[in-house]
């Protein structure tokens, strides 16, 4: 019997997992008190009491149990997990939360019914259906079911949300769900990255079924159109897709951008006619937004001097657009358009003149748009520059790269250590999905974050977990 532990996620849901730091899920939950995918935050926002949802590849229940919490006792979660040991722990998690709304189906979903061999990985997140027995490694015979069979088995007349995380079995799942995808109209979250490979053909397959793909905009926690054939961000793990009727429902709830939202292509600098007349440009300027944050209060006098000298107009414009994107009173397409416009301005400006702390602003906006690789590379350049020169020039308005630092005051008015700590913490958070993957390569950075004295509790946990896993002494 493997030793287990029960860990609590950010939404209060309890997950029963093996008590091991050598497995992804228990490590990540200890590290982040949540799952590392931004999509789970959107799913919690999406689902409402009474919703009916499905989770194919439920594993220990990180998504399934969070969804059960969201849909409540009047909703239902159909969770498919074929690996027996993993499914047993999921069953324990269902009981630990007292959920009666979760149905655990110990089948794998594929293109036909019957049985198949499931290759068992040390990390069950990587278990895969195989067509022939591997030369080495453990396998388990598991039942197969199709989505079309599930329509009859569970009398599915409506499904609000379907998550598919099946380690390469996605195409077969679609082949076995022609009736399902034709008669029903769920929002689907599907995995596009397995290991280092991106499977973008899935987006094209879904298009043939009438399902348009969308991606998450992390900073706004809403969905925007994803163009199949476009180059995705290398950090992209999941996409969403749905039919037009579901897209309209989500747009009506403020969860999805129906138009492309690229205001930058239609608006010239200073032209705000594309926004509603109720938008007052002056109220979005940095003196009314970031100047009131703790770091802005310390620096606003210096910023006014720099701005008065000229040359900061494009920065002010980009910061204005960013502030517009933060206004939850505006419709999603205006917010996304404003965020995208801010990113375009900062990219162009930093390409020409990466002075002051413009790179900090670019990293912040890029991460919120979902261009994580741009954010990571920008933070790397900025971190090296600060290390080399032992200083940063904060005399022009800027966005702090790590949102948490908006409420962290620079101590004794010393900005250098504060901004360096913010850059390092955001690099640690964005460069890898978890320190489970980066391991000891993150050790020096985490030790420096600890030494600077501004690190979050999560950064302390990361440092502690790496030391435990590597057998290193704690500081």
């Amino acid at each position: 019997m493997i030793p287990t532990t029960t860990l609590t996620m950010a939404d209060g849901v309890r997950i029963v997992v093996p008590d091991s730091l050598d497995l992804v899920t228990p490590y990540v939950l200890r590290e982040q008190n949540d799952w590392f995918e931004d999509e789970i935050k959107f799913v919690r926002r999406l689902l409402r009491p009474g919703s009916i949802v499905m989770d194919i590849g439920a594993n220990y229940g990180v998504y399934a149990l969070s969804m059960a919490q969201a849909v409540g006792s009047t909703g239902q979660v159909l969770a498919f997990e074929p690996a027996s040991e993993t499914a047993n722990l999921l069953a324990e998690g269902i009981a630990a939360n007292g959920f009666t709304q979760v149905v655990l189906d110990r089948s794998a979903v594929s293109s036909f019914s019957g049985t198949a061999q499931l290759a068992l990985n040390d990390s069950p997140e990587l278990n895969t259906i195989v067509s022939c027995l591997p030369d080495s490694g453990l396998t388990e015979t598991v039942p197969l079911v199709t989505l079309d069979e599930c329509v009859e088995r569970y009398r599915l007349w409506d499904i609000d949300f379907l998550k598919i995380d099946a380690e390469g079995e996605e195409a077969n799942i679609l082949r076995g769900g022609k009736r399902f995808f034709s008669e029903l109209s769920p929002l689907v979250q599907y995995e596009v990255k397995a290991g280092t490979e991106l499977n973008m053909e899935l987006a094209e397959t879904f298009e043939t079924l009438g399902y348009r793909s969308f991606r998450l905009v992390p900073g706004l926690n809403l969905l925007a159109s994803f163009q199949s054939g476009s180059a995705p961000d290398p950090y992209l793990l999941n996409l969403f897709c749905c039919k037009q009727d579901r897209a309209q429902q989500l747009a009506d709830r403020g969860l999805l951008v129906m138009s492309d939202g690229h205001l930058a292509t239609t608006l010239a600098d200073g032209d705000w006619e594309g926004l509603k007349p109720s938008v007052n440009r002056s109220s979005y300027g940095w003196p009314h937004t970031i100047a009131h944050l703790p770091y802005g209060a310390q620096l606003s006098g210096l910023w006014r001097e720099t701005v008065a000298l000229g040359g900061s107009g494009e920065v002010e414009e980009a910061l204005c657009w960013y502030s517009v994107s933060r206004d939850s009173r505006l419709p999603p397409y205006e917010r996304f358009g404003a965020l995208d416009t801010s990113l375009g301005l900062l990219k162009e400006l930093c390409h020409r003149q990466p002075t002051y702390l413009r790179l900090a602003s670019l990293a912040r906006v890029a991460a919120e748009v979902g261009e994580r690789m741009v954010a990571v590379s920008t933070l790397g350049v900025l971190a090296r520059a600060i290390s080399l020169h032992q200083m940063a020039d904060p005399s022009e308005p800027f966005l702090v790269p790590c949102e948490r630092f908006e409420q962290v005051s620079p101590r004794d008015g010393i900005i250098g250590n504060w901004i360096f700590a913010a850059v390092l913490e955001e690099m640690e958070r964005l460069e890898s999905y978890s320190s489970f993957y980066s391991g000891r390569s993150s050790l020096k950075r985490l030790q420096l974050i600890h030494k600077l004295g501004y690190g979050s509790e999560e950064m302390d946990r990361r440092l502690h977990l790496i030391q435990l896993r590597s057998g290193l002494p704690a500081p």
Side-chain angles (χ1 to χ4, degrees):
M1 188 107 181
I2 58 173
T4 63
T5 186
T6 301
L7 302 174
T8 303
M9 297 205 300
D11 58 356
V13 166
R14 292 178 289 280
I15 310 291
V16 180
V17 293
D19 191 7
S20 171
L21 295 182
D22 293 322
L23 297 175
V24 177
T25 301
Y27 186 102
V28 169
L29 295 184
R30 283 186 171 98
E31 174 190 73
Q32 301 182 27
N33 293 334
D34 211 347
W35 193 232
F36 62 75
E37 296 178 351
D38 290 323
E39 287 82 0
I40 198 167
K41 300 178 181 66
F42 174 78
V43 171
R44 290 174 184 143
R45 182 186 178 200
L46 165 77
L47 297 180
R48 297 183 288 192
S51 295
I52 301 174
V53 301
M54 300 177 70
D55 186 351
I56 298 176
N59 204 258
Y60 298 116
V62 168
Y63 272 90
L65 298 178
S66 279
M67 292 192 295
Q69 176 96 316
V71 304
S73 59
T74 60
Q76 187 177 57
V77 177
L78 303 176
F80 294 82
E81 178 48 56
S84 57
E85 287 190 3
T86 308
N88 288 340
L89 293 186
L90 174 53
E92 290 186 33
I94 294 169
N97 289 281
F99 289 149
T100 59
Q101 63 269 38
V102 182
V103 176
L104 173 56
D105 190 318
R106 296 170 181 257
S107 304
V109 182
S110 189
S111 58
F112 63 95
S113 59
T115 61
Q117 293 300 306
L118 182 70
L120 302 176
N121 194 283
D122 289 339
S123 290
E125 295 85 359
L126 304 178
N127 292 345
T128 56
I129 295 292
V130 292
S131 57
C132 58
L133 292 177
D135 295 332
S136 61
L138 297 176
T139 63
E140 180 179 358
T141 302
V142 298
L144 295 181
V145 66
T146 69
L147 274 176
D148 286 348
E149 287 178 301
C150 290
V151 172
E152 296 295 336
R153 178 183 298 184
Y154 295 109
R155 299 180 183 275
L156 301 177
W157 58 273
D158 189 22
I159 289 288
D160 295 289
F161 179 69
L162 165 65
K163 168 188 157 284
I164 305 176
D165 184 355
E167 297 302 318
E169 194 65 13
E170 289 82 4
N172 284 331
I173 291 171
L174 267 60
R175 279 193 284 270
K178 292 180 180 179
R179 177 187 173 190
F180 177 94
F181 289 107
S182 174
E183 295 182 1
L184 303 177
S185 186
L187 175 67
V188 182
Q189 177 184 321
Y190 61 99
E191 185 183 46
V192 293
K193 191 170 189 178
T196 59
E197 298 298 319
L198 279 170
N199 182 9
M200 302 314 300
E201 293 178 359
L202 271 176
E204 297 175 2
T205 303
F206 270 114
E207 279 189 14
T208 65
L209 299 174
Y211 285 72
R212 178 183 175 189
S213 288
F214 298 85
R215 66 173 183 86
L216 180 68
V217 182
L220 302 180
N221 202 21
L222 54 77
L223 304 182
S225 179
F226 177 84
Q227 303 298 326
S228 59
S230 62
D233 182 84
Y235 283 93
L236 181 69
L237 293 175
N238 303 289
L239 287 174
F240 295 82
C241 66
C242 61
K243 296 179 185 176
Q244 180 63 24
D245 62 323
R246 181 68 66 175
Q248 187 61 60
Q249 292 175 17
L250 296 174
D252 291 342
R253 291 179 56 195
L255 298 175
L256 181 144
V257 179
M258 288 292 286
S259 63
D260 290 338
H262 291 287
L263 298 187
T265 62
T266 58
L267 296 180
D269 287 351
D271 180 3
W272 288 61
E273 295 304 318
L275 295 181
K276 289 184 176 180
S278 60
V279 171
N280 181 356
R281 177 180 180 179
S282 63
S283 66
Y284 293 103
W286 65 263
H288 301 281
T289 54
I290 60 174
H292 296 288
L293 298 174
Y295 79 99
Q298 290 191 24
L299 293 170
S300 59
L302 184 60
W303 290 348
R304 293 182 190 279
E305 293 177 11
T306 301
V307 167
L309 295 174
S312 296
E314 289 173 278
V315 169
E316 292 187 282
E317 189 78 7
L319 297 184
C320 275
W321 282 112
Y322 177 76
S323 296
V324 171
S325 78
R326 306 290 289 179
D327 190 344
S328 60
R329 298 168 298 178
L330 298 175
Y333 82 91
E334 290 183 0
R335 297 183 65 197
F336 176 61
L339 189 63
D340 188 70
T341 299
S342 178
L343 178 62
L345 289 170
L346 287 168
K347 279 183 174 179
E348 173 61 25
L349 182 59
C350 289
H351 178 72
R352 290 187 283 108
Q353 295 175 312
T355 53
Y356 301 105
L357 283 170
R358 294 169 179 179
L359 292 174
S361 299
L362 174 57
R364 172 69 175 275
V365 177
E368 295 200 9
V369 169
E371 294 193 14
R372 187 164 173 168
M373 180 57 78
V374 172
V376 169
S377 60
T378 301
L379 289 167
V381 172
L382 184 54
R384 289 190 293 272
I386 294 174
S387 298
L388 179 64
H389 300 294
Q390 296 296 303
M391 62 175 293
D393 185 351
S395 59
E396 182 183 71
F398 65 93
L399 300 172
V400 66
C402 180
E403 183 178 7
R404 186 182 71 83
F405 275 73
E406 288 185 345
Q407 303 304 324
V408 176
S409 297
R411 289 193 288 272
D412 302 321
I414 300 175
I415 298 294
N417 286 348
W418 172 83
I419 190 63
F420 194 28
V423 170
L424 292 175
E425 180 162 326
E426 193 68 353
M427 277 190 69
E428 174 63 25
R429 192 180 72 83
L430 294 179
E431 192 171 46
S432 184
Y433 303 116
S434 163
S435 62
F436 178 87
Y437 300 107
S438 57
R440 295 183 67 161
S441 65
S442 286
L443 193 58
K444 288 185 177 180
R445 178 164 58 210
L446 287 165
Q447 288 171 334
L448 181 53
I449 291 172
H450 181 78
K451 182 179 179 180
L452 290 169
Y454 288 99
S456 64
E457 291 181 0
E458 181 183 325
M459 295 300 112
D460 289 339
R461 291 195 299 268
R462 286 178 180 241
L463 177 58
H464 181 61
L465 286 167
I466 290 175
Q467 290 166 334
L468 280 178
R469 193 177 177 207
S470 304
L472 300 173

